[in-house]
Amino acid sequence: MKIKITRDKTIFVIYMIFVLNVTYSVFYSNSARILQIPLAMLGLFYMFVSGGEFGKIRKKSINEFNAFCTPMIIITAISVYTSIAIYHTTNPSDWKQSIVRCFYYVVPFLAAFYSVRKFGNDTPRLLIISGLISYSTVFIRYIYYGGFGILFHFANNKVNGISLEVHNLTYCLGLFFLYYLLSDKYDNLFKTKICLVLMVGIFFGDKRALYLGLIVTLLVYFIFHKFKEKRLTLLKIIFILYIAAAFVYLILIKTGMFEALLYKYGINDMSRLTFWNYFSNAYEISPFYWGRGIAYTDNIMGATETMREMHVTAATNIHNDILRAYIGWGCIPMLYYLVNFFLMRVNRFIKDKNEENGWRYFAIASLYLFINFFDNMLSAENFNLCFFVVYLLLVDDRKLKNDLAEVSA
């Protein structure tokens, strides 16, 4: 299978080089977030076009928007209210920046909606090309400063401030790897080639959270296939296990038992426990706990006195979106998010008689969840863009505008 080069695809690939905003790339920019807005506006426009008639909204478009964006808006509204009314925050940024984080979630969805409507099944490949072009500049700079030999001991290694661990892009490559591996839309030769390329990128990106997520995800998908006749029962059981895992994880962190386990087995926490423990008095494990705003922990950690106290030289985050979301949203809103993210989405696939893609979605959503146990991807625009592209391709299984036959060899 070879790509059919068109002017629109070429422009999209070039534009996405900047949108994906790969860390340490020559194309990296602190202001790249605004670049998704034009695509989001086009996505919003397409939502209001049905059958070529402007102003007539497709019912399916509203269902797709309600799948993720509406729940996030509701959760954000609740956390903004509780931040002000319950905790009487003295920092307006706790709720203002929480609204911005919601914006970082909705805009990528609309940008993904446009991308999939425009390029169909070819969208992931175009994004991968953009990401790898940008990543290649990281390799060039890394080798330039460290020589070719440095590739043999690249893990957790920086040369002149440059590392091959490019964070968000690596997770995006993991999403696409799983999507292609589980998909039945592409021929085996193409899947083999692209999965090998993605594996190389994942290997050099070297994110342990991604490795853990892929292992758990593939195990879950294998179980679904092993016991096809009991999938609905397995879905409920595994979802309950996910909920239990998330809350046991929070309890272990809150009580200090997680720290004790890492110490016992000699596991390097990469300073994460320092950050997590700092907020131990800011929340309670209780159904009556309400959130302080998703930006709360970021605002605290960005304060000069906090950085001084934790002996860090630059503002960072807590690298744990399970904890960050719980502190920010509260217990019930977080449960609502998880129920919608897993059970309601898979049920939607089943109702649409698209069950196989429902299990594929559950697997990919599992990867999303387990990455967030140790990192902050919930409001990462580039990562969310890639996730929503995968979701939209799965939920819309009909032949899209760019049919695969168009790009077949």
Side-chain angles (χ1 to χ4, degrees):
M1 183 179 291
K2 58 184 178 181
I3 192 168
K4 181 180 178 181
I5 299 174
T6 66
R7 183 187 64 179
D8 287 349
K9 288 181 179 180
T10 302
I11 293 172
F12 184 76
V13 166
I14 294 172
Y15 195 77
M16 283 298 165
I17 288 173
F18 298 93
V19 169
L20 292 178
N21 204 31
V22 178
T23 311
Y24 309 119
S25 165
V26 297
F27 303 107
Y28 180 82
S29 170
N30 289 326
S31 58
R33 282 173 170 161
I34 64 173
L35 294 176
Q36 286 199 40
I37 295 177
L39 299 180
M41 293 175 68
L42 287 169
L44 195 61
F45 172 80
Y46 276 140
M47 280 191 172
F48 284 84
V49 178
S50 179
E53 182 181 346
F54 178 69
K56 185 178 180 182
I57 304 175
R58 295 190 317 144
K59 182 180 178 181
K60 195 170 183 64
S61 298
I62 296 302
N63 288 338
E64 290 160 355
F65 187 86
N66 287 339
F68 293 98
C69 298
T70 300
M72 183 58 71
I73 292 169
I74 292 171
I75 290 169
T76 299
I78 293 171
S79 69
V80 165
Y81 174 79
T82 56
S83 174
I84 297 170
I86 295 179
Y87 297 102
H88 308 289
T89 179
T90 57
N91 184 2
S93 186
D94 286 350
W95 61 267
K96 289 181 179 179
Q97 283 298 314
S98 293
I99 295 173
V100 173
R101 299 299 192 278
C102 181
F103 189 72
Y104 293 162
Y105 198 82
V106 175
V107 166
F109 180 88
L110 293 172
F113 185 86
Y114 161 74
S115 302
V116 170
R117 284 288 300 274
K118 180 70 175 176
F119 300 106
N121 289 294
D122 215 25
T123 309
R125 178 164 49 178
L126 296 176
L127 288 169
I128 291 168
I129 291 170
S130 298
L132 293 182
I133 288 173
S134 190
Y135 197 15
S136 68
T137 68
V138 182
F139 270 86
I140 291 169
R141 297 178 70 198
Y142 192 68
I143 294 170
Y144 176 78
Y145 290 115
F148 282 98
I150 199 169
L151 294 177
F152 292 103
H153 48 90
F154 66 91
N156 298 317
N157 193 13
K158 281 189 176 183
V159 180
N160 203 36
I162 299 169
S163 168
L164 296 181
E165 185 182 332
V166 289
H167 303 285
N168 296 16
L169 177 67
T170 306
Y171 292 130
C172 292
L173 297 180
L175 281 176
F176 289 135
F177 172 79
L178 200 57
Y179 167 72
Y180 280 116
L181 184 68
L182 302 182
S183 178
D184 59 357
K185 292 181 181 179
Y186 310 87
D187 64 68
N188 289 334
L189 179 60
F190 170 74
K191 286 173 60 173
T192 300
K193 288 179 179 178
I194 201 162
C195 284
L196 286 174
V197 171
L198 291 169
M199 285 173 65
V200 172
I202 291 168
F203 174 74
F204 281 106
D206 194 33
K207 299 299 293 183
R208 291 181 296 176
L210 179 57
Y211 297 148
L212 172 64
L214 285 171
I215 291 170
V216 173
T217 295
L218 291 173
L219 177 61
V220 167
Y221 192 73
F222 170 77
I223 291 172
F224 277 141
H225 269 270
K226 187 73 173 176
F227 305 98
K228 287 185 178 181
E229 68 283 356
K230 297 181 179 179
R231 280 176 172 176
L232 287 175
T233 302
L234 284 171
L235 171 65
K236 295 173 184 176
I237 292 172
I238 293 174
F239 174 70
I240 291 171
L241 289 175
Y242 282 179
I243 295 290
F247 279 88
V248 167
Y249 185 55
L250 290 169
I251 292 168
L252 290 176
I253 293 171
K254 174 79 173 174
T255 59
M257 293 177 65
F258 191 78
E259 182 175 11
L261 287 170
L262 293 186
Y263 180 78
K264 179 179 179 180
Y265 294 103
I267 300 173
N268 184 3
D269 69 304
M270 307 291 286
S271 300
R272 283 171 168 78
L273 286 170
T274 302
F275 305 152
W276 302 351
N277 292 340
Y278 191 85
F279 293 97
S280 60
N281 295 323
Y283 65 98
E284 298 296 332
I285 309 297
S286 164
F288 304 105
Y289 170 75
W290 295 96
R292 298 171 176 267
I294 196 70
Y296 171 78
T297 55
D298 294 350
N299 291 335
I300 295 293
M301 292 192 66
T304 303
E305 57 272 22
T306 306
M307 290 191 286
R308 187 184 304 117
E309 190 173 341
M310 291 193 295
H311 306 290
V312 296
T313 57
T316 184
N317 49 49
I318 61 175
H319 290 85
N320 181 342
D321 256 346
I322 301 299
L323 179 60
R324 181 169 169 250
Y326 185 82
I327 294 173
W329 293 339
C331 183
I332 294 175
M334 183 169 169
L335 279 173
Y336 168 57
Y337 170 82
L338 291 171
V339 169
N340 175 72
F341 196 73
F342 286 102
L343 288 184
M344 294 177 69
R345 291 307 101 232
V346 175
N347 283 338
R348 183 74 260 171
F349 279 100
I350 294 171
K351 287 180 180 179
D352 289 343
K353 298 181 180 179
N354 195 7
E355 186 174 317
E356 285 299 321
N357 277 357
W359 310 127
R360 292 184 180 103
Y361 167 77
F362 190 89
I364 291 167
S366 300
L367 178 63
Y368 190 110
L369 175 69
F370 281 96
I371 286 173
N372 283 320
F373 269 69
F374 298 98
D375 222 320
N376 294 97
M377 291 292 108
L378 196 60
S379 55
E381 307 93 313
N382 44 14
F383 180 71
N384 282 328
L385 170 70
C386 295
F387 173 76
F388 290 137
V389 163
V390 169
Y391 166 76
L392 290 168
L393 287 173
L394 290 175
V395 81
D396 197 353
D397 206 31
R398 71 186 190 281
K399 288 190 175 181
L400 297 164
K401 183 174 181 180
N402 279 22
D403 190 82
L404 285 178
E406 206 177 288
V407 292
S408 296

